[in-house]
Amino acid sequence: ANSNQLELLTDCQVLSELLKEQLVVVSVVRNEMVMLPQFLEHYRRLGVKCFIFVDNCSEDGTREYLQEQPDTILYSTDTEYKHSHYGVAWQQAVLGNHCFGKWVLLADADEFLVYEDSEHVQLEEFVETVESDGSDSVLLYMIDMYPYGDLDDARFEQEPVFKVAPFFDREALLELRFGGGMFSNSRNYVNGLRHRLAPSRINAYVSQK
């Protein structure tokens, strides 16, 4: 029941053609139709031409919507999310089979990458700059954005996401020393907003990728 087996729903010829791209966005989704159109539009605007999604039994039209997208490779799995190390097992399967030698962004459907001058600089250009410095990965920090009013009143289906949720905490990231393990001497950051709302769970939300 919890085999973590992935079923390919995309035509193999389409798969082969899309995997010629050297820049890929990989995402695990379940019932994400509220955010998916803006998610795809955002990354397409940055120049992304290949998306790989793993759908975990969506019931809101997510799967059908993604099957209609010409730049999308779609897998399906019916394993419970918690039995996949919360999606990591599926991500690793996709990365191991399709993404060696490529640049990959792992992003949830509500995560929108922003970098310096990203309104004008394509993601491929940004990656070329990173490579020119001799690097093969980028450390990213996650900032929670939110609306002025009640979150239940936010209508992400109707307006651009950064217009609906333009606010973030002044201290959006808090540095935290975890005190153990092989990365104990590195700088780690947790989410300022979530710490403000639930300070007893400060370690639950690491805000970097």
mmCIF file with all atom_site columns, all heavy atoms in Angstrom, residues 115-137:
data_model
loop_
_atom_site.group_PDB
_atom_site.id
_atom_site.type_symbol
_atom_site.label_atom_id
_atom_site.label_alt_id
_atom_site.label_comp_id
_atom_site.label_asym_id
_atom_site.label_entity_id
_atom_site.label_seq_id
_atom_site.pdbx_PDB_ins_code
_atom_site.Cartn_x
_atom_site.Cartn_y
_atom_site.Cartn_z
_atom_site.occupancy
_atom_site.B_iso_or_equiv
_atom_site.pdbx_formal_charge
_atom_site.auth_seq_id
_atom_site.auth_comp_id
_atom_site.auth_asym_id
_atom_site.auth_atom_id
_atom_site.pdbx_PDB_model_num
ATOM 1   N N   . TYR A 1 115 ? 14.716 36.490 -7.235  1.00 0.00 ? 115 TYR A N   1
ATOM 2   C CA  . TYR A 1 115 ? 16.130 36.792 -7.053  1.00 0.00 ? 115 TYR A CA  1
ATOM 3   C C   . TYR A 1 115 ? 16.388 38.189 -7.599  1.00 0.00 ? 115 TYR A C   1
ATOM 4   O O   . TYR A 1 115 ? 15.489 38.814 -8.186  1.00 0.00 ? 115 TYR A O   1
ATOM 5   C CB  . TYR A 1 115 ? 17.012 35.752 -7.757  1.00 0.00 ? 115 TYR A CB  1
ATOM 6   C CG  . TYR A 1 115 ? 16.608 35.442 -9.175  1.00 0.00 ? 115 TYR A CG  1
ATOM 7   C CD1 . TYR A 1 115 ? 17.082 36.197 -10.243 1.00 0.00 ? 115 TYR A CD1 1
ATOM 8   C CD2 . TYR A 1 115 ? 15.729 34.394 -9.457  1.00 0.00 ? 115 TYR A CD2 1
ATOM 9   C CE1 . TYR A 1 115 ? 16.704 35.927 -11.548 1.00 0.00 ? 115 TYR A CE1 1
ATOM 10  C CE2 . TYR A 1 115 ? 15.349 34.107 -10.756 1.00 0.00 ? 115 TYR A CE2 1
ATOM 11  C CZ  . TYR A 1 115 ? 15.831 34.876 -11.793 1.00 0.00 ? 115 TYR A CZ  1
ATOM 12  O OH  . TYR A 1 115 ? 15.444 34.608 -13.085 1.00 0.00 ? 115 TYR A OH  1
ATOM 13  N N   . GLU A 1 116 ? 17.573 38.706 -7.403  1.00 0.00 ? 116 GLU A N   1
ATOM 14  C CA  . GLU A 1 116 ? 17.877 40.078 -7.786  1.00 0.00 ? 116 GLU A CA  1
ATOM 15  C C   . GLU A 1 116 ? 17.588 40.307 -9.267  1.00 0.00 ? 116 GLU A C   1
ATOM 16  O O   . GLU A 1 116 ? 18.088 39.579 -10.128 1.00 0.00 ? 116 GLU A O   1
ATOM 17  C CB  . GLU A 1 116 ? 19.338 40.410 -7.483  1.00 0.00 ? 116 GLU A CB  1
ATOM 18  C CG  . GLU A 1 116 ? 19.687 41.869 -7.722  1.00 0.00 ? 116 GLU A CG  1
ATOM 19  C CD  . GLU A 1 116 ? 21.101 42.208 -7.292  1.00 0.00 ? 116 GLU A CD  1
ATOM 20  O OE1 . GLU A 1 116 ? 21.804 41.326 -6.767  1.00 0.00 ? 116 GLU A OE1 1
ATOM 21  O OE2 . GLU A 1 116 ? 21.494 43.378 -7.470  1.00 0.00 ? 116 GLU A OE2 1
ATOM 22  N N   . ASP A 1 117 ? 16.756 41.306 -9.551  1.00 0.00 ? 117 ASP A N   1
ATOM 23  C CA  . ASP A 1 117 ? 16.407 41.701 -10.915 1.00 0.00 ? 117 ASP A CA  1
ATOM 24  C C   . ASP A 1 117 ? 15.694 40.591 -11.672 1.00 0.00 ? 117 ASP A C   1
ATOM 25  O O   . ASP A 1 117 ? 15.776 40.503 -12.899 1.00 0.00 ? 117 ASP A O   1
ATOM 26  C CB  . ASP A 1 117 ? 17.661 42.129 -11.684 1.00 0.00 ? 117 ASP A CB  1
ATOM 27  C CG  . ASP A 1 117 ? 17.347 43.137 -12.787 1.00 0.00 ? 117 ASP A CG  1
ATOM 28  O OD1 . ASP A 1 117 ? 16.304 43.808 -12.696 1.00 0.00 ? 117 ASP A OD1 1
ATOM 29  O OD2 . ASP A 1 117 ? 18.131 43.251 -13.736 1.00 0.00 ? 117 ASP A OD2 1
ATOM 30  N N   . SER A 1 118 ? 14.953 39.738 -10.949 1.00 0.00 ? 118 SER A N   1
ATOM 31  C CA  . SER A 1 118 ? 14.270 38.618 -11.602 1.00 0.00 ? 118 SER A CA  1
ATOM 32  C C   . SER A 1 118 ? 13.136 39.072 -12.519 1.00 0.00 ? 118 SER A C   1
ATOM 33  O O   . SER A 1 118 ? 12.646 38.287 -13.335 1.00 0.00 ? 118 SER A O   1
ATOM 34  C CB  . SER A 1 118 ? 13.726 37.637 -10.559 1.00 0.00 ? 118 SER A CB  1
ATOM 35  O OG  . SER A 1 118 ? 12.834 38.281 -9.654  1.00 0.00 ? 118 SER A OG  1
ATOM 36  N N   . GLU A 1 119 ? 12.737 40.344 -12.391 1.00 0.00 ? 119 GLU A N   1
ATOM 37  C CA  . GLU A 1 119 ? 11.730 40.867 -13.330 1.00 0.00 ? 119 GLU A CA  1
ATOM 38  C C   . GLU A 1 119 ? 12.298 40.969 -14.737 1.00 0.00 ? 119 GLU A C   1
ATOM 39  O O   . GLU A 1 119 ? 11.545 40.981 -15.721 1.00 0.00 ? 119 GLU A O   1
ATOM 40  C CB  . GLU A 1 119 ? 11.234 42.252 -12.885 1.00 0.00 ? 119 GLU A CB  1
ATOM 41  C CG  . GLU A 1 119 ? 10.533 42.267 -11.531 1.00 0.00 ? 119 GLU A CG  1
ATOM 42  C CD  . GLU A 1 119 ? 11.515 42.516 -10.393 1.00 0.00 ? 119 GLU A CD  1
ATOM 43  O OE1 . GLU A 1 119 ? 12.740 42.406 -10.613 1.00 0.00 ? 119 GLU A OE1 1
ATOM 44  O OE2 . GLU A 1 119 ? 11.046 42.811 -9.288  1.00 0.00 ? 119 GLU A OE2 1
ATOM 45  N N   . HIS A 1 120 ? 13.620 41.043 -14.840 1.00 0.00 ? 120 HIS A N   1
ATOM 46  C CA  . HIS A 1 120 ? 14.250 41.256 -16.146 1.00 0.00 ? 120 HIS A CA  1
ATOM 47  C C   . HIS A 1 120 ? 15.260 40.174 -16.519 1.00 0.00 ? 120 HIS A C   1
ATOM 48  O O   . HIS A 1 120 ? 15.591 40.017 -17.695 1.00 0.00 ? 120 HIS A O   1
ATOM 49  C CB  . HIS A 1 120 ? 14.953 42.618 -16.169 1.00 0.00 ? 120 HIS A CB  1
ATOM 50  C CG  . HIS A 1 120 ? 14.095 43.753 -15.704 1.00 0.00 ? 120 HIS A CG  1
ATOM 51  N ND1 . HIS A 1 120 ? 13.020 44.219 -16.427 1.00 0.00 ? 120 HIS A ND1 1
ATOM 52  C CD2 . HIS A 1 120 ? 14.131 44.501 -14.572 1.00 0.00 ? 120 HIS A CD2 1
ATOM 53  C CE1 . HIS A 1 120 ? 12.438 45.207 -15.768 1.00 0.00 ? 120 HIS A CE1 1
ATOM 54  N NE2 . HIS A 1 120 ? 13.092 45.405 -14.638 1.00 0.00 ? 120 HIS A NE2 1
ATOM 55  N N   . VAL A 1 121 ? 15.769 39.454 -15.534 1.00 0.00 ? 121 VAL A N   1
ATOM 56  C CA  . VAL A 1 121 ? 16.798 38.438 -15.781 1.00 0.00 ? 121 VAL A CA  1
ATOM 57  C C   . VAL A 1 121 ? 16.163 37.050 -15.770 1.00 0.00 ? 121 VAL A C   1
ATOM 58  O O   . VAL A 1 121 ? 15.548 36.655 -14.775 1.00 0.00 ? 121 VAL A O   1
ATOM 59  C CB  . VAL A 1 121 ? 17.910 38.519 -14.719 1.00 0.00 ? 121 VAL A CB  1
ATOM 60  C CG1 . VAL A 1 121 ? 18.921 37.385 -14.913 1.00 0.00 ? 121 VAL A CG1 1
ATOM 61  C CG2 . VAL A 1 121 ? 18.598 39.869 -14.770 1.00 0.00 ? 121 VAL A CG2 1
ATOM 62  N N   . GLN A 1 122 ? 16.305 36.314 -16.860 1.00 0.00 ? 122 GLN A N   1
ATOM 63  C CA  . GLN A 1 122 ? 15.770 34.963 -16.936 1.00 0.00 ? 122 GLN A CA  1
ATOM 64  C C   . GLN A 1 122 ? 16.537 34.035 -16.000 1.00 0.00 ? 122 GLN A C   1
ATOM 65  O O   . GLN A 1 122 ? 17.714 34.255 -15.680 1.00 0.00 ? 122 GLN A O   1
ATOM 66  C CB  . GLN A 1 122 ? 15.868 34.438 -18.368 1.00 0.00 ? 122 GLN A CB  1
ATOM 67  C CG  . GLN A 1 122 ? 14.995 35.202 -19.363 1.00 0.00 ? 122 GLN A CG  1
ATOM 68  C CD  . GLN A 1 122 ? 13.544 34.740 -19.334 1.00 0.00 ? 122 GLN A CD  1
ATOM 69  O OE1 . GLN A 1 122 ? 13.193 33.747 -19.965 1.00 0.00 ? 122 GLN A OE1 1
ATOM 70  N NE2 . GLN A 1 122 ? 12.699 35.465 -18.619 1.00 0.00 ? 122 GLN A NE2 1
ATOM 71  N N   . LEU A 1 123 ? 15.887 32.970 -15.569 1.00 0.00 ? 123 LEU A N   1
ATOM 72  C CA  . LEU A 1 123 ? 16.505 32.037 -14.634 1.00 0.00 ? 123 LEU A CA  1
ATOM 73  C C   . LEU A 1 123 ? 17.754 31.399 -15.236 1.00 0.00 ? 123 LEU A C   1
ATOM 74  O O   . LEU A 1 123 ? 18.745 31.167 -14.530 1.00 0.00 ? 123 LEU A O   1
ATOM 75  C CB  . LEU A 1 123 ? 15.495 30.954 -14.237 1.00 0.00 ? 123 LEU A CB  1
ATOM 76  C CG  . LEU A 1 123 ? 15.890 29.992 -13.126 1.00 0.00 ? 123 LEU A CG  1
ATOM 77  C CD1 . LEU A 1 123 ? 16.377 30.734 -11.892 1.00 0.00 ? 123 LEU A CD1 1
ATOM 78  C CD2 . LEU A 1 123 ? 14.721 29.076 -12.780 1.00 0.00 ? 123 LEU A CD2 1
ATOM 79  N N   . GLU A 1 124 ? 17.743 31.135 -16.521 1.00 0.00 ? 124 GLU A N   1
ATOM 80  C CA  . GLU A 1 124 ? 18.914 30.559 -17.182 1.00 0.00 ? 124 GLU A CA  1
ATOM 81  C C   . GLU A 1 124 ? 20.112 31.503 -17.089 1.00 0.00 ? 124 GLU A C   1
ATOM 82  O O   . GLU A 1 124 ? 21.245 31.060 -16.867 1.00 0.00 ? 124 GLU A O   1
ATOM 83  C CB  . GLU A 1 124 ? 18.601 30.260 -18.647 1.00 0.00 ? 124 GLU A CB  1
ATOM 84  C CG  . GLU A 1 124 ? 19.712 29.537 -19.383 1.00 0.00 ? 124 GLU A CG  1
ATOM 85  C CD  . GLU A 1 124 ? 19.323 29.164 -20.794 1.00 0.00 ? 124 GLU A CD  1
ATOM 86  O OE1 . GLU A 1 124 ? 18.206 29.502 -21.217 1.00 0.00 ? 124 GLU A OE1 1
ATOM 87  O OE2 . GLU A 1 124 ? 20.147 28.526 -21.478 1.00 0.00 ? 124 GLU A OE2 1
ATOM 88  N N   . GLU A 1 125 ? 19.869 32.805 -17.239 1.00 0.00 ? 125 GLU A N   1
ATOM 89  C CA  . GLU A 1 125 ? 20.949 33.788 -17.094 1.00 0.00 ? 125 GLU A CA  1
ATOM 90  C C   . GLU A 1 125 ? 21.471 33.824 -15.669 1.00 0.00 ? 125 GLU A C   1
ATOM 91  O O   . GLU A 1 125 ? 22.681 33.930 -15.434 1.00 0.00 ? 125 GLU A O   1
ATOM 92  C CB  . GLU A 1 125 ? 20.443 35.178 -17.497 1.00 0.00 ? 125 GLU A CB  1
ATOM 93  C CG  . GLU A 1 125 ? 20.000 35.314 -18.936 1.00 0.00 ? 125 GLU A CG  1
ATOM 94  C CD  . GLU A 1 125 ? 19.420 36.693 -19.188 1.00 0.00 ? 125 GLU A CD  1
ATOM 95  O OE1 . GLU A 1 125 ? 20.182 37.679 -19.131 1.00 0.00 ? 125 GLU A OE1 1
ATOM 96  O OE2 . GLU A 1 125 ? 18.196 36.794 -19.420 1.00 0.00 ? 125 GLU A OE2 1
ATOM 97  N N   . PHE A 1 126 ? 20.561 33.743 -14.711 1.00 0.00 ? 126 PHE A N   1
ATOM 98  C CA  . PHE A 1 126 ? 20.947 33.727 -13.299 1.00 0.00 ? 126 PHE A CA  1
ATOM 99  C C   . PHE A 1 126 ? 21.838 32.522 -13.009 1.00 0.00 ? 126 PHE A C   1
ATOM 100 O O   . PHE A 1 126 ? 22.871 32.633 -12.339 1.00 0.00 ? 126 PHE A O   1
ATOM 101 C CB  . PHE A 1 126 ? 19.697 33.701 -12.423 1.00 0.00 ? 126 PHE A CB  1
ATOM 102 C CG  . PHE A 1 126 ? 19.979 33.552 -10.953 1.00 0.00 ? 126 PHE A CG  1
ATOM 103 C CD1 . PHE A 1 126 ? 20.469 34.603 -10.206 1.00 0.00 ? 126 PHE A CD1 1
ATOM 104 C CD2 . PHE A 1 126 ? 19.737 32.342 -10.317 1.00 0.00 ? 126 PHE A CD2 1
ATOM 105 C CE1 . PHE A 1 126 ? 20.733 34.471 -8.852  1.00 0.00 ? 126 PHE A CE1 1
ATOM 106 C CE2 . PHE A 1 126 ? 20.000 32.192 -8.971  1.00 0.00 ? 126 PHE A CE2 1
ATOM 107 C CZ  . PHE A 1 126 ? 20.492 33.255 -8.230  1.00 0.00 ? 126 PHE A CZ  1
ATOM 108 N N   . VAL A 1 127 ? 21.456 31.362 -13.538 1.00 0.00 ? 127 VAL A N   1
ATOM 109 C CA  . VAL A 1 127 ? 22.228 30.134 -13.343 1.00 0.00 ? 127 VAL A CA  1
ATOM 110 C C   . VAL A 1 127 ? 23.611 30.254 -13.978 1.00 0.00 ? 127 VAL A C   1
ATOM 111 O O   . VAL A 1 127 ? 24.619 29.814 -13.412 1.00 0.00 ? 127 VAL A O   1
ATOM 112 C CB  . VAL A 1 127 ? 21.461 28.929 -13.922 1.00 0.00 ? 127 VAL A CB  1
ATOM 113 C CG1 . VAL A 1 127 ? 22.377 27.719 -14.078 1.00 0.00 ? 127 VAL A CG1 1
ATOM 114 C CG2 . VAL A 1 127 ? 20.270 28.574 -13.035 1.00 0.00 ? 127 VAL A CG2 1
ATOM 115 N N   . GLU A 1 128 ? 23.679 30.865 -15.145 1.00 0.00 ? 128 GLU A N   1
ATOM 116 C CA  . GLU A 1 128 ? 24.974 31.056 -15.808 1.00 0.00 ? 128 GLU A CA  1
ATOM 117 C C   . GLU A 1 128 ? 25.904 31.909 -14.950 1.00 0.00 ? 128 GLU A C   1
ATOM 118 O O   . GLU A 1 128 ? 27.113 31.660 -14.880 1.00 0.00 ? 128 GLU A O   1
ATOM 119 C CB  . GLU A 1 128 ? 24.766 31.698 -17.182 1.00 0.00 ? 128 GLU A CB  1
ATOM 120 C CG  . GLU A 1 128 ? 24.148 30.756 -18.211 1.00 0.00 ? 128 GLU A CG  1
ATOM 121 C CD  . GLU A 1 128 ? 23.830 31.454 -19.516 1.00 0.00 ? 128 GLU A CD  1
ATOM 122 O OE1 . GLU A 1 128 ? 24.016 32.700 -19.588 1.00 0.00 ? 128 GLU A OE1 1
ATOM 123 O OE2 . GLU A 1 128 ? 23.389 30.776 -20.459 1.00 0.00 ? 128 GLU A OE2 1
ATOM 124 N N   . THR A 1 129 ? 25.346 32.903 -14.283 1.00 0.00 ? 129 THR A N   1
ATOM 125 C CA  . THR A 1 129 ? 26.133 33.746 -13.385 1.00 0.00 ? 129 THR A CA  1
ATOM 126 C C   . THR A 1 129 ? 26.655 32.935 -12.204 1.00 0.00 ? 129 THR A C   1
ATOM 127 O O   . THR A 1 129 ? 27.821 33.083 -11.797 1.00 0.00 ? 129 THR A O   1
ATOM 128 C CB  . THR A 1 129 ? 25.290 34.925 -12.864 1.00 0.00 ? 129 THR A CB  1
ATOM 129 O OG1 . THR A 1 129 ? 24.815 35.690 -13.970 1.00 0.00 ? 129 THR A OG1 1
ATOM 130 C CG2 . THR A 1 129 ? 26.112 35.824 -11.953 1.00 0.00 ? 129 THR A CG2 1
ATOM 131 N N   . VAL A 1 130 ? 25.793 32.069 -11.668 1.00 0.00 ? 130 VAL A N   1
ATOM 132 C CA  . VAL A 1 130 ? 26.200 31.211 -10.556 1.00 0.00 ? 130 VAL A CA  1
ATOM 133 C C   . VAL A 1 130 ? 27.327 30.278 -10.991 1.00 0.00 ? 130 VAL A C   1
ATOM 134 O O   . VAL A 1 130 ? 28.330 30.114 -10.288 1.00 0.00 ? 130 VAL A O   1
ATOM 135 C CB  . VAL A 1 130 ? 24.994 30.390 -10.044 1.00 0.00 ? 130 VAL A CB  1
ATOM 136 C CG1 . VAL A 1 130 ? 25.449 29.366 -9.008  1.00 0.00 ? 130 VAL A CG1 1
ATOM 137 C CG2 . VAL A 1 130 ? 23.943 31.314 -9.448  1.00 0.00 ? 130 VAL A CG2 1
ATOM 138 N N   . GLU A 1 131 ? 27.183 29.692 -12.167 1.00 0.00 ? 131 GLU A N   1
ATOM 139 C CA  . GLU A 1 131 ? 28.206 28.772 -12.672 1.00 0.00 ? 131 GLU A CA  1
ATOM 140 C C   . GLU A 1 131 ? 29.526 29.487 -12.933 1.00 0.00 ? 131 GLU A C   1
ATOM 141 O O   . GLU A 1 131 ? 30.600 28.919 -12.721 1.00 0.00 ? 131 GLU A O   1
ATOM 142 C CB  . GLU A 1 131 ? 27.717 28.105 -13.953 1.00 0.00 ? 131 GLU A CB  1
ATOM 143 C CG  . GLU A 1 131 ? 26.616 27.074 -13.728 1.00 0.00 ? 131 GLU A CG  1
ATOM 144 C CD  . GLU A 1 131 ? 26.192 26.406 -15.010 1.00 0.00 ? 131 GLU A CD  1
ATOM 145 O OE1 . GLU A 1 131 ? 26.224 27.084 -16.079 1.00 0.00 ? 131 GLU A OE1 1
ATOM 146 O OE2 . GLU A 1 131 ? 25.824 25.230 -14.977 1.00 0.00 ? 131 GLU A OE2 1
ATOM 147 N N   . SER A 1 132 ? 29.439 30.728 -13.381 1.00 0.00 ? 132 SER A N   1
ATOM 148 C CA  . SER A 1 132 ? 30.664 31.485 -13.664 1.00 0.00 ? 132 SER A CA  1
ATOM 149 C C   . SER A 1 132 ? 31.461 31.758 -12.408 1.00 0.00 ? 132 SER A C   1
ATOM 150 O O   . SER A 1 132 ? 32.666 32.002 -12.471 1.00 0.00 ? 132 SER A O   1
ATOM 151 C CB  . SER A 1 132 ? 30.318 32.807 -14.363 1.00 0.00 ? 132 SER A CB  1
ATOM 152 O OG  . SER A 1 132 ? 29.655 33.703 -13.474 1.00 0.00 ? 132 SER A OG  1
ATOM 153 N N   . ASP A 1 133 ? 30.799 31.693 -11.256 1.00 0.00 ? 133 ASP A N   1
ATOM 154 C CA  . ASP A 1 133 ? 31.496 31.852 -9.973  1.00 0.00 ? 133 ASP A CA  1
ATOM 155 C C   . ASP A 1 133 ? 32.034 30.527 -9.448  1.00 0.00 ? 133 ASP A C   1
ATOM 156 O O   . ASP A 1 133 ? 32.592 30.461 -8.348  1.00 0.00 ? 133 ASP A O   1
ATOM 157 C CB  . ASP A 1 133 ? 30.543 32.456 -8.931  1.00 0.00 ? 133 ASP A CB  1
ATOM 158 C CG  . ASP A 1 133 ? 30.221 33.914 -9.222  1.00 0.00 ? 133 ASP A CG  1
ATOM 159 O OD1 . ASP A 1 133 ? 31.041 34.557 -9.895  1.00 0.00 ? 133 ASP A OD1 1
ATOM 160 O OD2 . ASP A 1 133 ? 29.161 34.388 -8.788  1.00 0.00 ? 133 ASP A OD2 1
ATOM 161 N N   . GLY A 1 134 ? 31.839 29.460 -10.223 1.00 0.00 ? 134 GLY A N   1
ATOM 162 C CA  . GLY A 1 134 ? 32.337 28.148 -9.823  1.00 0.00 ? 134 GLY A CA  1
ATOM 163 C C   . GLY A 1 134 ? 31.412 27.370 -8.913  1.00 0.00 ? 134 GLY A C   1
ATOM 164 O O   . GLY A 1 134 ? 31.823 26.373 -8.313  1.00 0.00 ? 134 GLY A O   1
ATOM 165 N N   . SER A 1 135 ? 30.150 27.775 -8.823  1.00 0.00 ? 135 SER A N   1
ATOM 166 C CA  . SER A 1 135 ? 29.196 27.107 -7.934  1.00 0.00 ? 135 SER A CA  1
ATOM 167 C C   . SER A 1 135 ? 28.271 26.182 -8.723  1.00 0.00 ? 135 SER A C   1
ATOM 168 O O   . SER A 1 135 ? 28.032 26.395 -9.917  1.00 0.00 ? 135 SER A O   1
ATOM 169 C CB  . SER A 1 135 ? 28.354 28.139 -7.171  1.00 0.00 ? 135 SER A CB  1
ATOM 170 O OG  . SER A 1 135 ? 29.181 28.983 -6.390  1.00 0.00 ? 135 SER A OG  1
ATOM 171 N N   . ASP A 1 136 ? 27.750 25.152 -8.043  1.00 0.00 ? 136 ASP A N   1
ATOM 172 C CA  . ASP A 1 136 ? 26.814 24.244 -8.700  1.00 0.00 ? 136 ASP A CA  1
ATOM 173 C C   . ASP A 1 136 ? 25.501 24.105 -7.924  1.00 0.00 ? 136 ASP A C   1
ATOM 174 O O   . ASP A 1 136 ? 24.706 23.203 -8.160  1.00 0.00 ? 136 ASP A O   1
ATOM 175 C CB  . ASP A 1 136 ? 27.435 22.862 -8.916  1.00 0.00 ? 136 ASP A CB  1
ATOM 176 C CG  . ASP A 1 136 ? 27.873 22.206 -7.610  1.00 0.00 ? 136 ASP A CG  1
ATOM 177 O OD1 . ASP A 1 136 ? 27.588 22.769 -6.534  1.00 0.00 ? 136 ASP A OD1 1
ATOM 178 O OD2 . ASP A 1 136 ? 28.491 21.127 -7.691  1.00 0.00 ? 136 ASP A OD2 1
ATOM 179 N N   . SER A 1 137 ? 25.283 25.014 -6.978  1.00 0.00 ? 137 SER A N   1
ATOM 180 C CA  . SER A 1 137 ? 24.015 25.037 -6.247  1.00 0.00 ? 137 SER A CA  1
ATOM 181 C C   . SER A 1 137 ? 23.828 26.427 -5.650  1.00 0.00 ? 137 SER A C   1
ATOM 182 O O   . SER A 1 137 ? 24.770 27.218 -5.590  1.00 0.00 ? 137 SER A O   1
ATOM 183 C CB  . SER A 1 137 ? 23.997 23.982 -5.135  1.00 0.00 ? 137 SER A CB  1
ATOM 184 O OG  . SER A 1 137 ? 25.010 24.247 -4.190  1.00 0.00 ? 137 SER A OG  1
#
